[in-house]
Amino acid sequence: MLDVSNTEIHHGKLFCLFTVDEETTMAGANEFDPKQLNSDAKYLVNVDSEDGPILCLGCAGGADVSITAPVLTEDVNAEGWTVLSLEIGGFLGGHTGVQIHMGHCNALKALARCIARSSKSARLMSFLGGRFANAIPSAGTAEVALKTCQVEEFIKTVTNQFEILREEYKTIEPAKSIFLKVTTQPRPADLQQLKVPTEDCSRKLLLFWVNAASHPLRMSPDMAGFVESSACFSIADMKRGAPLAEFRGMARTSRDTAWNEIELLMEASAHLVNGSLKMDGYYPGWLPEPDSNLARVSIAAHEKAVGSKCQVLSVHAGLECGIIMKRAADVSKMSLQAVSIGPIIQSPHSTQERCLLSSVNDFWTWTIAILQDLKQ
């Protein structure tokens, strides 16, 4: 039973901040006015973590990335050409803030690789896939136009390329579930001219995805196993006949100075397809300080209050701590130390979300122990 009736808890002056829209826009944290804090405030204890006996000491900031590229076309004699539809799927996918380091296959990169290795002259009619900018895509589709005399060899080669890819990922992806389907589209009898992207444009668009980021860019030098920076292109929106293609994703980092390199990498990707780059929706990261006073107090408090050592880590997803700390520094010139803790939350952000009640008491006693030890 959790006892919250104790009025003899000794702690310093507390400022309690409740925010809204943390899971979407982080509007609450972004609108926080640090001038409401006392000038002697030093510590931020965030209670929004989901992993029970884990002390979180950092998170990534992020930005949305969008590249818009022109699709240059030409007319060819339809009688000598065939259009193929390709569908790839069955991959694990995953959250780019949680699983970017696990080696999950980006389905759009896999599809582009199979096509690009199978023909240098295939015309990319469409390329579609991905639903969310922060998710590794698990499926995708494409249409390619080839000279009819090349179709048989292309289908043989692209199938073989997929089997090579399946072998490479067999210890990560569900090998029996992933698939590649290739079908021939019927040509209308009255079709005389077929509008196709140029060979050069098609090749550049495919190679963009072959080269597209979908991995960690830098691991933390201070915390083993922690992804410090990453980027992942997750959405392809190149519709058949459209003059423009749009490719979207997210970049993340917990070190603000890393944007100097990340923004150039994104610019380089746009340059490959003569495209325009847009990066917006920036929010700041939170760089781990494992030797901070608050971190040391929190670790010791857990062992004293709960009787066991807590695990210490950082997350590559976004938390409000980075935003609050940056606003405090920018507006009030305050330097806050931060930690994030919480009870065990299962299936977060879903209709099955639930809190493990047996973890709440440990979370409560840990929180109180931190507050008491900070006062001392």
Side-chain angles (χ1 to χ4, degrees), residues 154-222:
F154 176 85
I155 294 176
K156 177 182 176 181
T157 306
V158 78
T159 302
N160 182 58
Q161 286 296 320
F162 177 73
E163 291 305 320
I164 292 172
L165 185 139
R166 189 203 298 270
E167 176 67 20
E168 291 175 358
Y169 281 93
K170 68 180 181 181
T171 59
I172 301 174
E173 298 287 346
K176 293 183 180 180
S177 299
I178 63 176
F179 65 86
L180 175 68
K181 297 178 182 178
V182 185
T183 56
T184 302
Q185 293 186 8
R187 185 176 72 247
D190 59 346
L191 184 65
Q192 296 182 350
Q193 295 292 313
L194 181 66
K195 188 177 291 294
V196 299
T198 66
E199 184 175 316
D200 181 64
C201 178
S202 296
R203 193 67 181 170
K204 286 179 178 178
L205 292 169
L206 284 169
L207 292 182
F208 168 89
W209 278 100
V210 171
N211 188 66
S214 186
H215 55 274
L217 301 175
R218 187 174 193 250
M219 303 300 290
S220 170
D222 303 312

Side-chain angles (χ1 to χ4, degrees), residues 36-59:
Q36 296 176 343
L37 286 175
N38 294 322
S39 60
D40 58 348
K42 296 179 181 179
Y43 304 118
L44 169 61
V45 180
N46 177 279
V47 290
D48 190 38
S49 286
E50 304 161 352
D51 299 312
I54 289 179
L55 181 70
C56 180
L57 293 182
C59 73

Side-chain angles (χ1 to χ4, degrees), residues 230-303:
S230 75
C232 182
F233 282 96
S234 304
I235 298 173
D237 186 7
M238 177 188 171
K239 297 181 179 69
R240 184 170 178 173
L244 297 172
E246 185 178 12
F247 306 140
R248 302 193 299 276
M250 276 196 73
R252 302 174 186 268
T253 184
S254 55
R255 186 182 297 272
D256 286 344
T257 56
W259 289 114
N260 293 317
E261 179 182 15
I262 293 171
E263 289 169 353
L264 286 175
L265 288 172
M266 298 300 100
E267 183 182 345
S269 295
H271 186 72
L272 287 175
V273 286
N274 301 318
S276 59
L277 170 68
K278 180 181 179 182
M279 294 184 67
D280 57 11
Y282 284 91
Y283 60 91
W286 164 27
L287 198 62
E289 294 185 80
D291 295 325
S292 72
N293 183 61
L294 180 56
R296 291 195 298 269
V297 167
S298 300
I299 293 169
H302 188 277
E303 191 161 5

Side-chain angles (χ1 to χ4, degrees), residues 300-308 361-362 364-370:
H302 188 277
E303 191 161 5
K304 178 178 67 175
V306 182
S308 63
N361 190 68
D362 285 350
W364 169 259
T365 56
W366 188 13
T367 303
I368 297 307
I370 292 173

Side-chain angles (χ1 to χ4, degrees), residues 77-82 146-149 187:
N77 185 349
E79 188 172 341
W81 288 73
T82 298
L146 299 116
K147 291 182 178 178
T148 302
C149 61
R187 185 176 72 247

Side-chain angles (χ1 to χ4, degrees), residues 134-157:
N134 64 351
I136 302 167
S138 59
T141 63
E143 295 173 300
V144 297
L146 299 116
K147 291 182 178 178
T148 302
C149 61
Q150 300 173 332
V151 169
E152 184 178 351
E153 181 64 23
F154 176 85
I155 294 176
K156 177 182 176 181
T157 306

